[in-house]
Amino acid sequence: MAPAALEREDKERDAAFKQALHGKTAEGRAGFTAMLGKDHKAQKEAVDEYFKHWDNKPHTTETEETREARRAEYATLTRHYYNLATDLYEYGWSQSFHFCRFSKGEPFRQAIARHEHYLALKMGIQEGQRVLDVGCGVGGPAREIVKFTGCNTVGLNNNDYQIERATKYAKQEKLDHKLSFVKGDFMQMSFPDNSFDAVYAIEATVHAPSLEGIYTEIFRVLKPGGVFGVYEWLMKDAYNNDDPHHREIRLGIEEGDGISNMEKIEVALAAIKAAGFELELNEDMADRPDEYPWYWPLSGELKYMQSIWDFPTLVRMTHIGRGIAHRFVGCLETIGLAPRGTQKTADSLAKAADCLVAGGREKLFTPMYLMVARKPKA
Ligand SMILES: CC(C)=CCC[C@@H](C)[C@H]1CC[C@H]2C3=C(CC[C@]12C)[C@@]1(C)CC[C@H](O)C[C@@H]1CC3
């Protein structure tokens, strides 16, 4: 079959799966209530498809073959991850699926928006420019950056459910004349060469099987002189893959966050140069001496509570809060209100949260390695 026909077939299959699993939840309710409206059979399929990559594959026995098997299936792995996690993300975080820096007294949403503004500022995104958001989630950052800069943005995503939600939110905010969404695989984008003035990716390209591969594809769609900005998820220099504790942290993050192959900082720097970019800026924003670390909302440590409004966020992540949530979701599953696999998904996210916090605290991992790079003019 010709590649275009194969692609069409894949798109139809994914759209049909989205319809079966999410039904009308994509158009209506968000977060926790949306979770209860899933088709149980389709949810089981998504859970089985996702967790087959990790079940019975502990960090102690990880081999290059297990990693390669995940890399080979990065697209379905990521798609199923977001089929399972999107509602939990919207319920427990916001419509911007990324971390950020926090300053004292700064409300959560303001800190999240500031992180987005910072990237747009460092990239120098201008009014009227054509911009691509790679791995746009449900469009929270794209909406903010369109409002902040006045640019025109296309969001690229390989998950139909997220695209449907992103489209709905853009319409609700009356931004649909400047912001649209396209379904596609970021490793082989459907855009012609030299299409965009700027491309950004916020905590999304970590889902790629190869950083050099994704950066090369971004380079292709950028116009000469165009700019690429990214907040990358990376293991830091202190990470030692031969240390079982370090590996357990990396694997916990990968399993709970839909990642097939997370790399070290040095690999990302080499990849961006190998793709042809001129690197203008690189900094691990997690290394700034912030009083409130990026991972505080996941830490469950009450010392980070700044106002009474932080209490629910923090208490949910304490041992007691986790235990209650685990049993509550288990009960919902037993009585048939929540589909099978909801508890397994929630537990895996909770484990990822522990590993993210440990990775942050032990300075082994960063979710905000900032790189700004340019495609040369000639
Ligand atoms: C997966 C990538 C590359 C980016 C997403 C970053 C974050 C938005 C998520 C990483 C871990 C997530 C967790 C939650 C929300 C979204 C994240 C912070 C929860 C707080 C959602 C509510 C659950 O009860 C607990 C989750 C812990 C992990």
Side-chain angles (χ1 to χ4, degrees):
M1 206 184 293
L6 263 178
E7 198 184 316
R8 202 169 337 115
E9 211 173 72
D10 282 355
K11 278 193 174 164
E12 281 164 11
R13 186 208 52 214
D14 294 348
F17 187 79
K18 189 257 346 171
Q19 192 52 36
L21 174 60
H22 301 286
K24 290 209 170 300
T25 61
E27 296 138 42
R29 305 158 294 179
F32 193 76
T33 38
M35 267 161 44
L36 304 180
K38 304 297 168 194
D39 177 80
H40 289 210
K41 194 167 153 267
Q43 169 101 359
K44 184 174 181 315
E45 197 180 321
V47 169
D48 291 347
E49 272 300 307
Y50 181 70
F51 285 103
K52 74 174 187 203
H53 293 288
W54 280 280
D55 283 346
N56 309 316
K57 297 185 180 78
H59 69 279
T60 41
T61 60
E62 190 191 44
T63 60
E64 189 38 42
E65 285 71 44
T66 40
R67 287 182 78 65
E68 183 46 44
R70 282 185 208 125
R71 279 198 292 264
E73 292 200 34
Y74 73 93
T76 32
L77 184 154
T78 308
R79 194 169 51 252
H80 279 309
Y81 175 74
Y82 284 111
N83 274 331
L84 298 171
T86 299
D87 295 321
L88 272 165
Y89 274 29
E90 282 199 52
Y91 152 74
W93 200 251
S94 70
Q95 289 168 10
S96 287
F97 297 166
H98 60 79
F99 290 104
C100 63
R101 297 174 58 212
F102 295 96
S103 74
K104 199 171 166 60
E106 188 175 32
F108 179 82
R109 275 175 204 282
Q110 190 176 314
I112 286 277
R114 179 163 65 88
H115 202 61
E116 295 159 358
H117 297 166
Y118 190 78
L119 180 65
L121 177 80
K122 290 291 164 188
M123 292 172 65
I125 297 178
Q126 300 297 318
E127 176 137 21
Q129 280 190 332
R130 187 158 193 253
V131 177
L132 176 67
D133 178 334
V134 172
C136 60
V138 298
R143 293 197 299 281
E144 191 60 40
I145 289 177
V146 164
K147 285 185 277 186
F148 183 63
T149 66
C151 66
N152 300 309
T153 298
V154 178
L156 178 71
N157 195 318
N158 85 339
N159 182 288
D160 292 271
Y161 183 55
Q162 291 198 336
I163 291 199
E164 209 158 309
R165 298 201 74 83
T167 307
K168 175 186 129 160
Y169 294 136
K171 264 200 199 111
Q172 272 174 356
E173 287 193 32
K174 300 206 184 329
L175 291 171
D176 45 330
H177 61 298
K178 289 185 86 66
L179 178 56
S180 60
F181 299 93
V182 168
K183 159 91 194 270
D185 180 347
F186 57 16
M187 297 302 285
Q188 45 228 336
M189 302 183 205
S190 54
F191 311 111
D193 296 355
N194 311 327
S195 301
F196 295 95
D197 300 297
V199 179
Y200 67 84
I202 302 184
E203 303 186 18
T205 40
V206 65
H207 293 298
S210 140
L211 287 179
E212 189 175 327
I214 178 68
Y215 296 160
T216 302
E217 188 60 357
I218 288 169
F219 185 89
R220 180 184 71 74
V221 300
L222 258 181
K223 292 179 189 169
V227 65
F228 170 46
V230 57
Y231 285 127
E232 196 59 89
W233 276 33
L234 292 167
M235 301 313 294
K236 289 165 72 93
D237 296 342
Y239 175 79
N240 170 10
N241 202 43
D242 294 330
D243 181 325
H245 171 63
H246 288 194
R247 211 161 53 223
E248 189 177 9
I249 288 178
R250 175 181 51 76
L251 261 173
I253 296 175
E254 288 180 343
E255 171 176 347
D257 292 297
I259 297 165
S260 63
N261 184 52
M262 189 153 55
E263 299 282 13
K264 286 187 75 168
I265 290 175
E266 65 204 34
V267 176
L269 289 172
I272 208 157
K273 287 175 193 154
F277 282 107
E278 282 165 4
L279 190 60
E280 293 186 344
L281 175 65
N282 61 302
E283 180 183 355
D284 185 356
M285 303 307 292
D287 280 347
R288 296 272 178 115
D290 294 327
E291 190 180 340
Y292 293 85
W294 60 264
Y295 51 79
W296 80 256
L298 298 183
S299 71
E301 283 183 282
L302 296 179
K303 70 175 183 192
Y304 291 128
M305 194 165 103
Q306 297 196 56
S307 82
I308 192 72
W309 305 112
D310 294 337
F311 186 70
T313 306
L314 282 166
V315 89
R316 183 179 63 198
M317 299 309 294
T318 59
H319 269 301
I320 297 175
R322 299 262 191 93
I324 294 172
H326 175 85
R327 283 188 194 87
F328 177 65
V329 175
C331 285
L332 290 179
E333 264 193 44
T334 311
I335 59 175
L337 258 182
R340 292 260 165 231
T342 308
Q343 192 181 47
K344 188 171 183 174
T345 307
D347 287 352
S348 159
L349 274 176
K351 185 171 166 225
D354 284 342
C355 292
L356 286 161
V357 173
R361 203 174 270 142
E362 295 174 39
K363 305 228 172 286
L364 298 173
F365 163 79
T366 175
M368 48 184 76
Y369 194 83
L370 171 66
M371 291 185 281
V372 176
R374 200 163 294 279
K375 178 168 176 173
K377 276 216 171 92

